[in-house]
Amino acid sequence: MFNTSGKIRVLMIDQDTEAVNTASLGFQIRWPECTVISTRKGEKGIQMAESELPHMIVMEINLLDISGFEVIKRIRLFSDVPIMVLSDRTEEMDVVKALEIGADDYVTKPFSTLDLLARAKAILRRINMYQSEGEDLPPFVTNDLIVDFATRQVFHSGKLVHLTPIEYRILCQLVRNAPKVVSIKMLKQQVWGDVDYLEPSTIRKSVSQLRQKIGGDSDNGHSILNERGLGYKFIGARVSKGTASMLKGVSED
Amino acid sequence: MEGILVIHPHEHEMETMKRGLKGAGFQVTSAEDGESGLINLETLPSDLVIMIDDSLSGRRLCSRIRNVSDTPIIAVSARGDIVNRVTMLELGADACISQTVSIGELVARVRSLLRRRRIRTSNGPLIDPEGIEIWGS
């Protein structure tokens, strides 16, 4: 379902060559696999947003052909791509307008590359958090556990289980990769969104809480195993579609 | 109605912000310190957190919130320096803005983050900025 190229593609729409070069260099140093494509014109930028499917757009409001505000509005008609405005327009009303019509952040020029990259990372981290939830996957069903990705509901022995967002995301990562081990590093990135500081006990505690809630021991036919030094894996036989539909008649608490 | 939790050590300074957010149509709850803020988050999940403290304890609070919740966080800082802003972003804040920012801009940023939360896009490539292999299905 997901493409896994491991690369970022950034589209810059700006006639300011220096800004484009500085930002590009920053992106490529920070993320060596990053590709930066650019155009000086708004109309071309809209076309490239559609054809190149960038992971992020960094754009100026003052463009040669049309207003950057117009570009944001038109891109938003067909895409949810994160948009970071990088502009020498510094008036508050420009910031407010850009954010209200669909931009995700607004950086004024002259800019700090460090600042731009930190903000870009924050946006991508947020996107990653939401994307890794996989709503359009079929439900994951074992003998007494149902994980319904579409509704974000989890049932154990027919009863709705109340998981925190973190616990839910851990469970998603484990069941979607079952029976493979999910590394601590991967869990950290996908569940907590790659924050720089995560208390070492946090992952252990969250997994422990999750285990308690979904009755995770081998007597139930499923469990979360800690592969020491490696990570965690979910062990449990996924049932066939026929049995899955029989289990559909579950009750809420 | 979307709910915002404001964590601010000085109740009276919060009033302008709270009034502005309520005026923009949000339900606002408040907490005077990090501990009560965290308890508040666990018992009554908010759609967004605004935290006004960029001291060392403020940075620690940001991490702690991020460790237990995926709620968007706006950090408001009295310090204008980039190092502080970058630090807060790296610790998990979604935006870090100056304390001098207007209510208009604050509301715009809140709406932008909440809009992104509503979208919850499941299409498109899974991004791995660090270039590490992603295990997808």
Side-chain angles (χ1 to χ4, degrees), chain A residues 121 125 129 169 187-195:
Chain A
K121 182 181 170 184
R125 180 180 62 212
M129 262 193 227
R169 281 215 290 277
L187 265 185
K188 188 181 162 192
Q189 188 171 32
Q190 293 303 312
V191 174
W192 281 272
D194 192 29
V195 292

Side-chain angles (χ1 to χ4, degrees), chain A residues 31 80 92 126 128 131 181 192, chain B residues 67 70 102 116 125 129 135:
Chain A
W31 295 300
D80 298 323
E92 182 207 309
R126 175 57 57 186
N128 231 11
Q131 280 194 358
V181 174
W192 281 272
Chain B
N67 283 356
D70 64 352
S102 68
R116 182 55 66 187
W135 290 352

Side-chain angles (χ1 to χ4, degrees), chain B residues 28-43:
Chain B
V28 182
T29 49
S30 57
E32 278 201 342
D33 56 52
E35 289 306 324
S36 45
L38 281 165
I39 293 168
N40 201 307
L41 263 179
E42 278 168 31
T43 50

Side-chain angles (χ1 to χ4, degrees), chain A residues 43-62:
Chain A
E43 288 285 0
K44 182 72 180 161
I46 297 167
Q47 285 170 28
M48 289 173 79
E50 193 166 17
S51 61
E52 304 298 320
L53 296 176
H55 296 98
M56 171 174 281
I57 295 176
V58 179
M59 58 170 287
E60 171 58 90
I61 298 294
N62 290 330

